[in-house]
Amino acid sequence: AMKQQPRFNTFALAFLLVLSACQKSFDVPANTGTDNTSTQTSSDPNYAWELMTMTYPGLKDYEAGSFVIGTRAYVLDVQGHLWSLESGANSWVRKADLPFRNPPDPNGYFLLFYPIVFSVGDKGYVTCGHWSFQNIGIIDQGSSTTVWEYDASKDFWTVRADFAGTPRIMPVAVPGADFALVGLGISQKQPISTASEFLRYTPASDHWSTAPDCSKNIIQGTGFLSDGNSYLIGDEPVAGSTSGHDNRLFKFTSDNWQELASVGNARDWFTFATPYARKAFAVSTSDNASTLVSFDLSSGATARHSALPVAYSPGGTSFIFRLGGTLYLGDLLQKKIWTCKLG
């Protein structure tokens, strides 16, 4: 299996897009197994990762993304297969596939790399990324601006208004109560570069509009919604440093960004964050390893907890989400799942 790459290494991303397209594994989905926890894999007893006997039933593949609606989580892979897990359930349920356009060759298949996947209210959304149609080798490829909306109550996908910004891979979504901000990422216009712009999507009107940039120097991050407020952990490279980052916590209110605090340290790249018990729990990934940390939403005071059993980086071979007070971490290649109780 290929190692996960740092999120914003442009050369590594280009290599990963080509190599991952050549390393697809089309295993028949396994049965959904049963739910039981076993061996602890963390040295921190308060935030121990436990390996489940329930396995991930989908294909051995790369993640497109995951989202949560209510008490149910959804995992989407690059081939558009969608699997769902209800909180407390002991098995996964296969849901409707992402409806890519009809392939010009019935023996071929579409792949979608590095989109952004998020939820607003009771709907899930997928947009941006790099698509390719393949049979033997790559037949066609390009940037995606299509927006797909998933209605969990009907298990049905609908195409909505196209993403109105610069085509990009690996953007960030900052969810709101009735909107989402989509921005940052790597522009697919030549020459390839990081993108700083944000756009606001309002599902009720199916409309994209411009939104203020967070900071011209923020190049990536992760967003989350807590108590009706929208937050972004933004990563800014330290000038003159090849590996240092300044991680800053922002809050989006009244159509403006408010910088709250610095979080983490110079080695952190935050790739996931979720609120729980008046804190934000985040995953920091660097050097193909990930650590669970938490911080206060007001002061930014950070506590480091436990190492993840496998590294997490969006678009890699693992997924992560929270249901209630439990984090779920999955490895799509090994089909293993770990859980971590928060607080």
Side-chain angles (χ1 to χ4, degrees):
M2 186 180 58
K3 294 181 179 179
Q4 295 182 17
Q5 304 297 323
R7 196 175 178 204
F8 271 83
N9 182 329
T10 305
F11 295 100
L13 286 172
F15 175 74
L16 182 57
L17 287 172
V18 175
L19 185 58
S20 60
C22 300
Q23 290 185 330
K24 297 292 99 185
S25 178
F26 301 103
D27 294 354
V28 176
N31 62 50
T32 53
T34 57
D35 188 358
N36 192 15
T37 57
S38 57
T39 308
Q40 292 186 354
T41 58
S42 167
S43 59
D44 185 342
N46 295 317
Y47 295 92
W49 290 93
E50 298 184 337
L51 178 65
M52 304 182 73
T53 56
M54 178 180 66
T55 58
Y56 174 70
L59 300 174
K60 292 181 178 180
D61 217 321
Y62 288 82
E63 177 213 37
S66 63
F67 58 94
V68 173
I69 298 176
T71 60
R72 186 177 288 274
Y74 298 84
V75 175
L76 183 73
D77 68 30
V78 294
Q79 295 185 59
H81 303 131
L82 185 67
W83 287 88
S84 178
L85 181 68
E86 178 76 24
S87 179
N90 62 2
S91 62
W92 293 78
V93 178
R94 178 74 180 270
K95 296 296 185 177
D97 288 352
L98 187 71
F100 292 129
R101 64 181 185 179
N102 294 327
D105 181 344
N107 295 317
Y109 52 90
F110 277 102
L111 302 173
L112 182 63
F113 297 96
Y114 303 117
I116 185 62
V117 179
F118 59 94
S119 60
V120 176
D122 60 355
K123 302 291 194 304
Y125 296 89
V126 180
T127 191
C128 297
H130 182 94
W131 65 267
S132 69
F133 174 73
Q134 302 181 26
N135 186 346
I136 299 176
I138 298 175
I139 297 176
D140 196 8
Q141 60 182 319
S143 299
S144 176
T145 55
T146 302
V147 176
W148 291 276
E149 178 186 78
Y150 179 71
D151 186 332
S153 66
K154 300 177 181 178
D155 189 27
F156 189 77
W157 293 93
T158 302
V159 174
R160 308 289 278 171
D162 282 358
F163 176 68
T166 303
R168 66 194 69 189
I169 61 174
M170 305 178 81
V172 172
V174 180
D178 57 2
F179 67 93
L181 303 174
V182 177
L184 305 181
I186 300 177
S187 169
Q188 293 298 278
K189 286 189 175 181
Q190 298 296 327
I192 294 175
S193 62
T194 56
S196 63
E197 65 174 346
F198 272 90
L199 286 96
R200 179 177 181 141
Y201 179 63
T202 306
S205 59
D206 190 26
H207 178 68
W208 290 91
S209 57
T210 57
D213 293 346
C214 177
S215 167
K216 293 296 184 183
N217 298 320
I218 297 294
I219 63 169
Q220 71 115 36
T222 183
F224 58 95
L225 178 67
S226 178
D227 294 329
N229 296 311
S230 302
Y231 293 90
L232 169 72
I233 308 174
D235 294 331
E236 177 182 343
V238 175
S241 171
T242 58
S243 59
H245 317 287
D246 181 13
N247 304 289
R248 290 180 282 160
L249 177 65
F250 296 87
K251 182 179 178 180
F252 187 79
T253 56
S254 302
D255 210 33
N256 283 295
W257 294 98
Q258 176 188 0
E259 184 174 343
L260 300 179
S262 292
V263 295
N265 60 44
R267 293 290 297 169
D268 286 324
W269 282 101
F270 288 108
T271 56
F272 168 82
T274 185
Y276 184 72
R278 299 184 179 181
K279 296 181 181 179
F281 287 85
V283 172
S284 169
T285 299
S286 62
D287 299 326
N288 291 318
S290 294
T291 303
L292 178 66
V293 302
S294 66
F295 50 86
D296 184 272
L297 287 175
S298 298
S299 68
T302 304
R304 310 189 79 83
H305 299 301
S306 54
L308 276 63
V310 294
Y312 174 72
S313 183
T317 58
S318 58
F319 61 83
I320 190 168
F321 55 79
R322 177 182 61 83
L323 288 174
T326 302
L327 286 177
Y328 290 76
L329 172 70
D331 187 313
L332 280 75
L333 297 185
Q334 300 183 63
K335 296 180 175 288
K336 293 180 179 180
I337 302 172
W338 294 265
T339 60
C340 177
K341 300 292 184 181
L342 301 178

